mmCIF file of all heavy atoms in Angstrom:
data_model
loop_
_atom_site.group_PDB
_atom_site.id
_atom_site.type_symbol
_atom_site.label_atom_id
_atom_site.label_comp_id
_atom_site.label_asym_id
_atom_site.label_seq_id
_atom_site.Cartn_x
_atom_site.Cartn_y
_atom_site.Cartn_z
ATOM 1 N N PHE U 2 -27.103 44.322 -21.571
ATOM 2 C CA PHE U 2 -26.747 45.239 -22.634
ATOM 3 C C PHE U 2 -26.283 44.444 -23.851
ATOM 4 O O PHE U 2 -25.645 43.401 -23.714
ATOM 5 C CB PHE U 2 -25.619 46.176 -22.182
ATOM 6 C CG PHE U 2 -25.987 47.036 -21.012
ATOM 7 C CD1 PHE U 2 -25.597 46.691 -19.727
ATOM 8 C CD2 PHE U 2 -26.722 48.187 -21.195
ATOM 9 C CE1 PHE U 2 -25.926 47.487 -18.649
ATOM 10 C CE2 PHE U 2 -27.056 48.996 -20.125
ATOM 11 C CZ PHE U 2 -26.665 48.644 -18.849
ATOM 12 N N GLN U 6 -24.198 48.194 -27.763
ATOM 13 C CA GLN U 6 -24.247 49.229 -26.727
ATOM 14 C C GLN U 6 -22.931 49.297 -25.961
ATOM 15 O O GLN U 6 -22.435 50.374 -25.638
ATOM 16 C CB GLN U 6 -25.398 48.955 -25.762
ATOM 17 C CG GLN U 6 -26.763 49.180 -26.348
ATOM 18 C CD GLN U 6 -27.875 48.784 -25.405
ATOM 19 O OE1 GLN U 6 -27.749 47.805 -24.665
ATOM 20 N NE2 GLN U 6 -28.964 49.533 -25.428
ATOM 21 N N ASN U 84 -27.357 19.850 8.968
ATOM 22 C CA ASN U 84 -26.562 20.083 10.177
ATOM 23 C C ASN U 84 -25.330 19.200 10.230
ATOM 24 O O ASN U 84 -24.259 19.637 10.661
ATOM 25 C CB ASN U 84 -27.420 19.866 11.427
ATOM 26 C CG ASN U 84 -28.476 20.939 11.589
ATOM 27 O OD1 ASN U 84 -28.332 22.036 11.074
ATOM 28 N ND2 ASN U 84 -29.541 20.616 12.291
ATOM 29 N N LEU U 114 -40.056 16.038 2.843
ATOM 30 C CA LEU U 114 -40.288 14.751 2.196
ATOM 31 C C LEU U 114 -40.561 13.676 3.232
ATOM 32 O O LEU U 114 -39.887 13.603 4.257
ATOM 33 C CB LEU U 114 -39.071 14.392 1.350
ATOM 34 C CG LEU U 114 -38.813 15.418 0.257
ATOM 35 C CD1 LEU U 114 -37.465 15.196 -0.352
ATOM 36 C CD2 LEU U 114 -39.886 15.361 -0.791
#
Side-chain angles (χ1 to χ4, degrees):
F2 299 99
Q6 289 175 324
N84 291 336
L114 299 168

